[in-house]
Amino acid sequence: MKFGLKYIASVIAISGSLFAYAAHAELAPTKLETPSQVIASQVVSFKQDAQLIRDTYEPQLYTLPAFKMGHYGLRMYRQTLDPKYQSAIWADMARVASKLNTVAYEMNTPEQIATYSQKRLDEYVGDKDERSQRRYAATKKMPEYIYLGVGLLGSMARANEYGLQHKEDHKLREIIRRYDFKKYATDTEMIHAWAAQLANQVYWLRQLGEQDVVDDFIVAFKQAYPDSLDSTLTDQQYMNKIYGMTHIIFAASEYYQHPIKESDFQWIYDYYRKNVDTILKRSKEDVLAEVGINFLLAGKDGDPVVLAMRKAIQSSINKEKGMVPSVDGDFGLVHGEHRNVLAIMLLDWQQPHVAPTVNNQPKIFSSVPYGLVAKGNLN
């Protein structure tokens, strides 16, 4: 197995510090630290920085938009099972219910879907960044993808994870079945535009018991991003590739609910280890944190890749502001929520929990937003 230079350097650095301690052992034997003590001090440092970010976000959590509030609260709850995040989860349920109510009662005919999708697609017109231009070019051939993948599937899957479904679940499933998702999931241009999103969506379809195109997507993904062509990719496309890989594992875990078996995704973990230097050099903090969390989901807390990613994230934290800024130096709480909640998880990983669900945490679901019901309770 090949390892990147920084991957190896992280191990050498620890060993070097231990030799330095040993060299002075006769002069100051009481200061000698064992390898476990060195590691323990690093863990404490990482946890302290995770808490620093929590202290920035959590006093203002309920000032964030519902999507961001729910994104943060759900991840923290699945890590900690702390009831203080219950209100954020309820806000997320309300967002999901609103989306599904709109689809079920107001926006489900082919004409309505076409109008909505074209309106959303037109929002990319005029954007100059590479990601937006790729998304517009790829999706204009099949604009309904925005309605189906970006909107409907995610809301249905989230409700499903909670142990809920919409009152009109049968109608929503009929809409899904109008389309062959394989054409989106295996289109090279679509993968270059929406790799992480497609990874989520093919697993959501499987989770819902609908069309299973997970394997088709993974084959197409590998063909769209052969490792031999990495050096030809722009930084945006390289990050899109890594994002897609991290989200394959996240989606397979149903987003931090189930541990992952490394051997099921060996090609991904092997790639990370072999290319850790390139990932560190060419990726934003969001991507680095996600790579590290992929290893944590597989129970590989001691892997040098995790240490490398933790050190990179730790070094990016602005201690005065108490958060990881954007690559442009922005400290906005809303736009920074994604990278900062990932930073917390990476630096202070707990464990996956299948939560919250109607059966396991009934108090959270004592009152659910209109339109949602417990699975199996349709009249």
Side-chain angles (χ1 to χ4, degrees):
M1 184 177 293
K2 296 181 180 180
F3 298 96
L5 293 176
K6 291 187 178 179
Y7 180 92
I8 297 171
S10 64
V11 179
I12 295 173
I14 295 173
S15 301
S17 66
L18 294 177
F19 285 127
Y21 282 127
H24 294 84
E26 292 185 4
L27 297 176
T30 58
K31 293 183 180 180
L32 179 64
E33 290 186 309
T34 66
S36 61
Q37 288 173 326
V38 173
I39 294 171
S41 66
Q42 287 179 329
V43 170
V44 169
S45 174
F46 294 143
K47 289 180 178 292
Q48 287 173 339
D49 283 338
Q51 188 59 48
L52 178 66
I53 301 173
R54 285 193 194 94
D55 291 342
T56 299
Y57 267 87
E58 297 195 1
Q60 303 183 73
L61 178 60
Y62 295 103
T63 68
L64 300 181
F67 177 79
K68 295 290 186 177
M69 186 194 311
H71 186 274
Y72 183 101
L74 180 59
R75 279 151 182 75
M76 288 294 94
Y77 189 83
R78 285 177 173 169
Q79 282 281 284
T80 67
L81 299 181
D82 192 324
K84 71 180 179 180
Y85 301 112
Q86 290 182 8
S87 295
I89 292 167
W90 203 95
D92 185 64
M93 276 195 290
R95 178 191 62 81
V96 168
S98 176
K99 180 65 178 181
L100 296 181
N101 287 337
T102 299
V103 171
Y105 303 123
E106 302 174 22
M107 193 169 58
N108 48 62
T109 68
E111 294 77 17
Q112 291 168 332
I113 292 171
T115 299
Y116 169 84
S117 299
Q118 191 60 50
K119 182 179 179 181
R120 286 289 309 276
L121 184 61
D122 287 345
E123 293 174 5
Y124 289 104
V125 175
D127 288 344
K128 301 300 183 183
D129 63 286
E130 181 180 353
R131 185 181 71 169
S132 295
Q133 291 183 342
R134 284 184 177 275
R135 289 184 172 179
Y136 180 78
T139 318
K140 67 181 181 180
K141 302 179 298 183
M142 45 189 91
E144 71 281 355
Y145 166 78
I146 294 181
Y147 170 96
L148 178 65
V150 180
L152 177 58
L153 278 176
S155 296
M156 288 183 69
R158 180 62 55 77
N160 179 270
E161 290 167 11
Y162 289 146
L164 303 172
Q165 61 187 29
H166 194 267
K167 289 182 176 181
E168 300 292 338
D169 184 68
H170 65 285
K171 179 186 288 187
L172 302 181
R173 289 176 182 271
E174 286 174 359
I175 295 171
I176 291 174
R177 292 166 188 167
R178 294 176 196 167
Y179 305 96
D180 179 5
F181 206 84
K182 185 176 179 178
K183 76 173 183 178
Y184 316 122
T186 59
D187 183 275
T188 299
E189 287 187 43
M190 289 290 284
I191 293 171
H192 285 166
W194 303 95
Q197 291 74 19
L198 286 166
N200 291 339
Q201 292 147 12
V202 296
Y203 274 95
W204 287 337
L205 276 169
R206 173 184 281 182
Q207 177 185 324
L208 292 167
E210 294 295 330
Q211 185 181 12
D212 191 340
V213 292
V214 169
D215 293 342
D216 298 289
F217 168 73
I218 291 176
V219 169
F221 178 89
K222 291 178 178 179
Q223 292 173 345
Y225 285 119
D227 297 348
S228 61
L229 296 182
D230 280 357
S231 62
T232 69
L233 299 176
T234 64
D235 284 348
Q236 189 278 329
Q237 276 297 284
Y238 187 74
M239 282 192 287
N240 193 63
K241 173 179 177 172
I242 306 302
Y243 258 137
M245 295 166 76
T246 63
H247 278 245
I248 288 170
I249 291 174
F250 286 162
S253 76
E254 292 192 3
Y255 274 82
Y256 324 111
Q257 292 193 94
H258 305 282
I260 291 297
K261 188 175 180 181
E262 178 181 343
S263 59
D264 290 341
F265 302 95
Q266 199 64 60
W267 64 280
I268 295 179
Y269 289 99
D270 287 349
Y271 180 89
Y272 291 157
R273 291 190 177 106
K274 183 178 179 180
N275 297 279
V276 62
D277 292 347
T278 306
I279 294 170
L280 286 165
K281 181 180 179 180
R282 302 189 69 184
S283 302
K284 297 189 299 183
E285 283 77 12
D286 308 59
V287 180
L288 301 182
E290 290 194 357
V291 169
I293 295 170
N294 275 185
F295 280 86
L296 296 171
L297 279 166
K300 304 297 180 180
D301 306 50
D303 195 289
V305 173
V306 176
L307 180 60
M309 298 305 155
R310 280 175 166 164
K311 285 187 171 182
I313 294 299
Q314 186 177 51
S315 68
S316 71
I317 297 172
N318 182 297
K319 298 297 180 73
E320 182 180 348
K321 297 289 187 178
M323 65 185 297
V324 179
S326 72
V327 292
D328 299 323
D330 180 72
F331 291 97
L333 288 179
V334 174
H335 293 298
E337 179 275 329
H338 181 265
R339 86 180 74 91
N340 279 280
V341 75
L342 288 167
I344 294 169
M345 295 171 68
L346 175 66
L347 296 174
D348 189 17
W349 179 255
Q350 307 295 312
Q351 60 178 314
H353 292 103
V354 181
T357 68
V358 170
N359 292 331
N360 294 339
Q361 289 83 24
K363 288 185 179 180
I364 296 180
F365 302 94
S366 59
S367 173
V368 298
Y370 175 80
L372 297 179
V373 295
K375 285 192 290 188
N377 284 358
L378 296 177
N379 294 324

